[in-house]
Amino acid sequence: MPAAVLDDMHRQIAGSLTGRVTKWFVLVAVVVVTGVMAGFSAKLADVQNNEASSWLPGSAESTKVLDELSEAVDPNDIPTLVVYHRDGGLTDDDLAAMEADGKEIAGIEGVTGQGVLTPAAAEAAAAQGAPVPTLVSDDGEVAYLYFVLNFGSDGWNAIPAAADEIRDIAKIDGGEVHLAGYGGQAADSAEAFEGIDTNLIFATLAVVIVILLFTYRSPVLWLLPILCAVSANFIATGLVYLLAKYAGLTVNGQSQAILSILVIGAGTDYALLLVARYREELRRHEDRHEAMAFALHRAAPAILASAATVAIGMLCLSFAELNSTAGLGPVLAIGVAVTVVVMVTLLPALLVICGRWVFWPKRPTFRSAEPTAGGLWARVGRAISPHPRRVWVVTTGLLLLACLGLFRLDTSGLSTEETYTKEFDSIKGQKLLTEHDLSDNSNTIQVTTATDRAADVDRKSTRLNSSHGYISYAVFCLKKK
C-alpha cells in the first residue's frame, strides 16, 4: 500500500475518534466505563495480599517452610506482644495491672483460645518444667504479655481495630506500653499503608498540576489532562481488582500505590505530547476537528511507542526473584495500557468539545504565529544543531559520571527499624526488648526436618542458644521423609 494512502487512512481513523458526532460517543463511553470501574477500584484493598509469601521469592527457604508448616501451623496466626516499661523497675501494682489486662485482652475478638500468657502464668509454667520464655527482664524494668491473634484471611484489614482495643486496655500510670511483636508490626504496617493510595494520589496530582500550570500557562487547560488521568486511574485499578479477584493476579499495598503514581505520571506525559501537537495544528487548520485529526495522527505513534516501551519494561519485572517486585510487572503494564487508551480517546474528545478557548489567555488562532519559533529552547536547539556529535559525547560523559553512584549502592536491605520514616509503636517495643535482653518470641526461627534428624537438629539449636544467648523459639515440624 502506498505511503500516501496509508498516511491518509491513519489520519481518517484518528479523525473518526474526534468527529463532530463521534466525540460525544467517545466521551459518554469513557465516562460510563469510568463510573463502572470506580466501584471496583474502591474494593482493590480487599484483594491485596500482604502476607510474607506475597513478598518473598518462592525459592526462599522461609517461603518453603511456610508451605510445609501450613498443615501444622495456621498461617493466619499473628503472635503479638504487649510490652510494659517503667524506669527504675515495674512495681507490684504494674504487674497486677498486667495480669488484669491479660484477662481483658483475652476477651477481644480475634484472640485465639490459647488466651494470654502473662508473667505470672509463664513463671508458674516454667516451675513445672514447661519450655516457656521469661517475660520479665532481669532488671525488672520491662515485661510483656504474649498472645496470638487470628482473623482468618482478613487479618490485614482486621488487625488495626484489634490493635486499637488492645492499646485502650493496656495502660499503666507513669509507665509506657507498646504493642510489639509480629502483631504490632502488622498493625503499624497497616497504619502506614492506610490511605497511602489516596495520599499519594493527592500529592502526585498536586505536583502534576503545578507542572501543567507552568507548561500550559493557562488556568483552564490543565484540568483536561488531570480529568483524563483520574479516569485512567479508576479504570486501571478497577481492572486490576477484577484480575486479582478472578484471575489470580497478585496485588499488594506497594503495587497499588505505585500503579496510581505511574498512571497519573504517564498520562500527563502523553497529554503534553498530544496537546503540543494539537496547539500547532490549530494554527494551521481553521476547523478544530480537522486540527485534532492531524494532531492525533502525528502524535499517536510517538505516544504508542512510548507506552509500549514502558509496558514492556514493566513486564520485565515479572522475572524478578522477589514476588513483591515480580507482581509489579503485570499490574503496572496494565496501568500503562489503560492510560494510553484513555489519553488517545477521552483527551482528544474533550479538547475538541471545549474548543480553542480552553487555551486562554493565549488562544492559538488560525494562521497565528508559532511561538516555539523563538524563545529559550529555540535558541538552545539552534546552538546544538551545528555541533551534534560534540553535544552527545559531552552529555553521555556526564550521564556516565552520574552512574558512578551505582558502585556505592547498598542493596542489603533494611532492618525493621529502618523500614519506616518514623518510629512506630512496635519499633519502640522491640528496642525495649533488645535493650533489656528479652527475646521477641512472636518472631520465631522455624525449622523443618525429617524425623530421623530431629535429635541432631535439636542438639545444634541448643548449641546455638548457648553460644549466642537466648534465641526465640525454634519450632520443628517433623516429616517422615
Side-chain angles (χ1 to χ4, degrees):
M1 184 178 295
V5 176
L6 187 63
D7 188 73
D8 185 63
M9 182 181 69
H10 287 171
R11 187 167 61 251
Q12 289 179 6
I13 294 173
S16 65
L17 294 173
T18 56
R20 299 181 184 279
V21 177
T22 54
K23 63 185 179 184
W24 297 105
F25 284 106
V26 170
L27 175 62
V28 171
V30 177
V31 168
V32 169
V33 172
T34 301
V36 172
M37 286 301 187
F40 295 124
S41 174
K43 301 178 183 178
L44 184 55
D46 297 339
V47 295
Q48 285 185 11
N49 182 0
N50 292 288
E51 300 297 330
S53 58
S54 73
W55 296 78
L56 298 173
S59 59
E61 285 191 50
S62 56
T63 306
K64 294 177 181 178
V65 169
L66 287 174
D67 293 337
E68 292 175 354
L69 290 178
S70 59
E71 296 182 2
V73 179
D74 192 333
N76 296 313
D77 279 352
I78 307 174
T80 306
L81 310 179
V82 179
V83 180
Y84 294 73
H85 171 250
R86 182 188 294 276
D87 289 330
L90 294 166
T91 66
D92 292 339
D93 289 340
D94 295 334
L95 295 175
M98 289 182 64
E99 298 296 322
D101 291 346
K103 293 179 181 178
E104 194 170 353
I105 290 172
I108 294 177
E109 183 180 358
V111 177
T112 62
Q114 299 174 4
V116 179
L117 182 64
T118 64
E123 184 178 357
Q128 297 177 3
V132 296
T134 301
L135 303 191
V136 182
S137 64
D138 292 339
D139 59 12
E141 290 190 354
V142 175
Y144 67 90
L145 305 175
Y146 173 87
F147 53 93
V148 176
L149 295 169
N150 191 316
F151 302 97
S153 59
D154 195 41
W156 179 262
N157 296 317
I159 198 168
D164 289 339
E165 287 190 65
I166 294 168
R167 291 185 177 113
D168 288 340
I169 294 171
K171 296 177 181 178
I172 54 173
D173 293 333
E176 55 181 310
V177 181
H178 305 286
L179 184 63
Y182 183 39
Q185 294 168 15
D188 289 340
S189 294
E191 179 184 342
F193 278 103
E194 182 183 12
I196 187 172
D197 52 337
T198 304
N199 295 336
L200 284 176
I201 287 174
F202 285 139
T204 304
L205 287 175
V207 172
V208 168
I209 289 171
V210 171
I211 293 173
L212 291 177
L213 284 171
F214 275 105
T215 303
Y216 293 148
R217 299 177 185 177
S218 168
V220 183
L221 182 57
W222 64 269
L223 186 59
L224 301 188
I226 292 298
L227 289 175
C228 293
V230 172
S231 172
N233 185 56
F234 278 131
I235 296 173
T237 51
L239 182 58
V240 168
Y241 165 80
L242 293 175
L243 292 174
K245 187 172 181 65
Y246 300 107
L249 181 66
T250 300
V251 183
N252 53 40
Q254 171 185 265
S255 55
Q256 179 179 351
I258 296 176
L259 171 63
S260 296
I261 296 174
L262 177 65
V263 167
I264 296 172
T268 303
D269 183 35
Y270 305 150
L272 289 171
L273 292 172
L274 179 60
V275 172
R277 176 62 71 176
Y278 178 53
R279 194 199 300 259
E280 293 177 1
E281 296 299 335
L282 283 173
R283 291 187 167 90
R284 299 170 183 165
H285 303 275
E286 189 171 6
D287 185 352
R288 66 178 184 274
H289 300 88
E290 184 179 2
M292 179 55 76
F294 276 90
L296 190 57
H297 163 63
R298 291 173 177 170
I303 293 174
L304 293 174
S306 175
T309 302
V310 175
I312 293 172
M314 294 298 102
L315 287 175
C316 289
L317 294 175
S318 302
F319 298 101
E321 188 175 8
L322 282 175
N323 289 339
S324 56
T325 303
L328 282 172
V331 171
L332 300 185
I334 290 169
V336 172
V338 170
T339 302
V340 72
V341 171
V342 172
M343 287 300 169
V344 298
T345 55
L346 179 60
L347 181 58
L350 288 175
L351 285 169
V352 293
I353 287 172
C354 292
R356 297 173 191 263
W357 69 267
V358 78
F359 289 91
W360 184 86
K362 294 184 178 181
R363 295 194 305 164
T365 57
F366 179 51
R367 292 180 178 174
S368 59
E370 176 57 58
T372 57
L376 172 63
W377 298 113
R379 292 194 296 271
V380 171
R382 286 193 292 269
I384 290 174
S385 58
H387 312 287
R389 182 177 300 175
R390 184 186 306 171
V391 171
W392 77 255
V393 169
V394 172
T395 303
T396 302
L398 292 174
L399 291 175
L400 290 175
L401 186 64
C403 291
L404 292 177
L406 290 173
F407 294 104
R408 298 295 302 273
L409 181 64
D410 183 6
T411 60
S412 59
L414 300 174
S415 66
T416 302
E417 290 81 1
E418 297 170 332
T419 301
Y420 306 105
T421 57
K422 67 177 184 179
E423 192 173 66
F424 278 100
D425 203 31
S426 61
I427 296 176
K428 295 177 182 178
Q430 182 65 48
K431 286 183 176 180
L432 284 173
L433 294 175
T434 302
E435 291 168 0
H436 293 267
D437 297 323
L438 287 174
S439 63
D440 178 4
N441 60 336
S442 69
N443 289 310
T444 59
I445 297 175
Q446 297 175 322
V447 182
T448 59
T449 185
T451 304
D452 57 0
R453 296 189 58 196
D456 182 50
V457 172
D458 190 28
R459 284 194 299 272
K460 290 181 178 179
S461 67
T462 301
R463 288 200 299 271
L464 187 63
N465 278 333
S466 61
S467 300
H468 299 279
Y470 186 81
I471 296 177
S472 298
Y473 286 108
V475 180
F476 305 98
C477 178
L478 305 180
K479 303 180 292 183
K480 294 182 178 179
K481 295 183 180 180

